[in-house]
Amino acid sequence: MSDADYNTDPVTLSRFIMEDDHERRKLYGKTRTSLSFILGAIGVAAKVTANAVQNAGMQGLYALGGGANQSGEDQKKLDVLANDVFVNVLRNTKKVRVMVSEELDEPIVVEGLEHARYVCVFDPLDGSSNIECNVSVGTIFGIYHTDDKSLADLSDGLRPGREMVAAGYILYSSSVVMVLSTGHGVHMFTLDPTFGEFVMTRRDWHMPSVPKKIYSCNTGNAQKWDLATRHFLRHIREEVGGYSARYVGSMVTDVHRTLLYGGIFMYPADKKNKRGKLRLLYECFPMAYLMEAAGGMATDGKTPILDIQPKDIHERCPIYLGCTRDVEKLLEFVKLQDEGK
Ligand code: P6P
């Protein structure tokens, strides 16, 4: 690489976080330095987890960890490792009061942090059931700020996703990518392994104005879906045409492709799973937050995902997300179904 090619002024995650806090002062008249600490910590946890994911095969981390998460799904050693990394890194910031993880039945309330004002919710390693066949996996996170001094746990602190102050995911794939929004724009970073930093690759990303025709769902469940979903699929396949089916079965991967190219990702409710499979707080909320920030949409079929009031930290939620062209068309079929047509 010639010196002319060498980037002597990289926009690293750390630099973005500082600039973003400065921007926040201009926009809102105040900074949130603690949020900056938390985002930086998530970057560290992402690098540690990425290293574990890359080496999992050699280090026997694919094996079952012996436990099960609150869904009753077998936990792999890698699930437990990723969870421990994110819990420890966030705890060490001394800025996070409460944590919710898919891998833990109950919230973690960090003792002695009455001054702390942040709640972090996360799925530390989503899609890990795919990892043995080398399918990409990811971490999904969302961050709330709370002025509630009495917030001893989340029993009365659950709030709609629209109140998140930041959300994002890390995709552990052919490269390690972090996608992040703190409320103004969606920004993407790629881990540069040569010097171990996340470097910005896309600033203020918006979904394509002409979205690709892609639908992403597990059609193996189609017979169990409601009429609206089935009629929507028939419409795009047989009446519109030209759509491609793309389904990896790892939410972060399927959502990342949808964010970049357009189309629709769906995990509907079905006759057996009345609220679908994906988790509202730490899967659907963060992905919906990013989709809306990038000009897309996310709904449960009736309500914008971000406006749903959670009742339980692990509750599930049907989700349809993607470009407005496709999500609005889905909602037209829901309206027809509601009208009995
Ligand atoms: P299915 C992975 O197990 C996961 O939680 C998400 O990452 C993914 O979108 C979904 O489940 C896939 O579920 O039922 O299609 O295998």
Side-chain angles (χ1 to χ4, degrees):
M1 179 187 286
S2 72
D3 58 4
D5 299 330
Y6 199 87
N7 182 354
T8 58
D9 190 21
V11 181
T12 62
L13 176 65
S14 315
R15 171 176 156 187
F16 167 77
I17 289 169
M18 291 181 283
E19 289 175 349
D20 191 54
D21 201 34
H22 182 72
E23 183 70 13
R24 193 174 295 113
R25 179 195 297 275
K26 284 196 293 183
L27 286 173
Y28 313 120
K30 62 180 180 179
T31 59
R32 280 193 169 147
T33 311
S34 295
L35 178 60
S36 301
F37 276 98
I38 294 166
L39 294 173
I42 288 173
V44 171
K47 288 189 270 192
V48 175
T49 304
N51 182 267
V53 166
Q54 300 298 328
N55 294 291
M58 285 84 81
Q59 295 178 8
L61 292 173
Y62 290 162
L64 293 180
N69 65 18
Q70 39 68 40
S71 308
E73 296 163 346
D74 289 334
Q75 286 177 315
K76 296 191 180 307
K77 287 181 180 172
L78 207 49
D79 287 316
V80 175
L81 182 149
N83 184 66
D84 291 350
V85 169
F86 276 86
V87 167
N88 291 336
V89 163
L90 290 171
R91 186 199 307 273
N92 295 335
T93 64
K94 305 283 190 278
K95 304 293 182 183
V96 177
R97 183 92 162 282
V98 180
M99 293 181 236
V100 172
S101 167
E102 177 175 47
E103 299 303 328
L104 301 172
D105 291 350
E106 300 302 328
I108 292 178
V109 180
V110 184
E111 295 304 320
L113 290 189
E114 286 64 32
H115 67 285
R117 290 288 174 268
Y118 288 90
V119 175
C120 289
V121 299
F122 51 91
D123 182 353
L125 202 65
D126 179 75
S128 59
S129 55
N130 299 302
I131 196 153
E132 282 182 73
C133 60
N134 223 23
V135 165
S136 45
V137 293
T139 299
I140 311 170
F141 63 89
I143 304 172
Y144 292 95
H145 177 269
T146 176
D147 288 321
D148 181 353
K149 296 179 178 54
S150 67
L151 185 63
D153 59 26
L154 269 178
S155 51
D156 57 355
L158 285 172
R159 290 154 35 207
R162 205 167 294 283
E163 296 183 32
M164 286 184 169
V165 294
Y169 58 79
I170 300 103
L171 176 56
Y172 310 107
S173 182
S174 46
S175 64
V176 181
V177 172
M178 178 184 288
V179 177
L180 170 65
S181 177
T182 58
H184 33 272
V186 174
H187 312 288
M188 301 187 185
F189 304 82
T190 299
L191 182 61
D192 183 331
T194 59
F195 64 109
E197 275 288 348
F198 280 103
V199 179
M200 184 180 276
T201 46
R202 289 181 172 93
R203 183 188 290 270
D204 198 12
W205 174 255
H206 278 78
M207 296 183 83
S209 53
V210 182
K212 284 186 185 294
K213 289 180 175 178
I214 299 172
Y215 67 91
S216 182
C217 52
N218 183 343
T219 50
N221 298 325
Q223 291 314 310
K224 297 184 282 185
W225 292 339
D226 67 6
L227 280 178
T229 306
R230 283 188 278 154
H231 288 172
F232 166 72
L233 262 189
R234 184 182 62 193
H235 170 72
I236 61 174
R237 279 167 155 172
E238 298 170 19
E239 288 148 26
V240 177
Y243 273 75
S244 296
R246 293 285 184 275
Y247 189 67
V248 176
S250 184
M251 186 186 195
V252 175
T253 311
D254 285 318
V255 171
H256 188 60
R257 183 201 54 249
T258 306
L259 191 62
L260 285 179
Y261 298 162
I264 187 168
F265 167 79
M266 311 189 285
Y267 208 102
D270 62 45
K271 292 177 186 137
K272 183 167 166 265
N273 303 298
K274 304 291 186 197
R275 292 295 295 158
K277 174 180 183 180
L278 300 176
R279 305 293 175 169
L280 176 61
L281 195 63
Y282 42 75
E283 291 175 335
C284 298
F285 276 166
M287 295 312 200
Y289 190 93
L290 294 169
M291 273 296 147
E292 288 202 5
M297 292 175 73
T299 176
D300 69 351
K302 305 282 185 204
T303 309
I305 292 281
L306 290 180
D307 294 333
I308 296 172
Q309 172 58 49
K311 298 176 190 62
D312 175 81
I313 59 171
H314 294 303
E315 76 178 79
R316 301 175 191 267
C317 183
I319 187 164
Y320 304 83
L321 65 76
C323 62
T324 50
R325 175 198 66 204
D326 291 350
V327 178
E328 284 179 344
K329 178 57 72 178
L330 177 279
L331 290 173
E332 284 177 26
F333 283 95
V334 171
K335 188 167 179 292
L336 289 173
Q337 175 181 269
D338 291 348
E339 292 165 356
K341 292 173 182 168

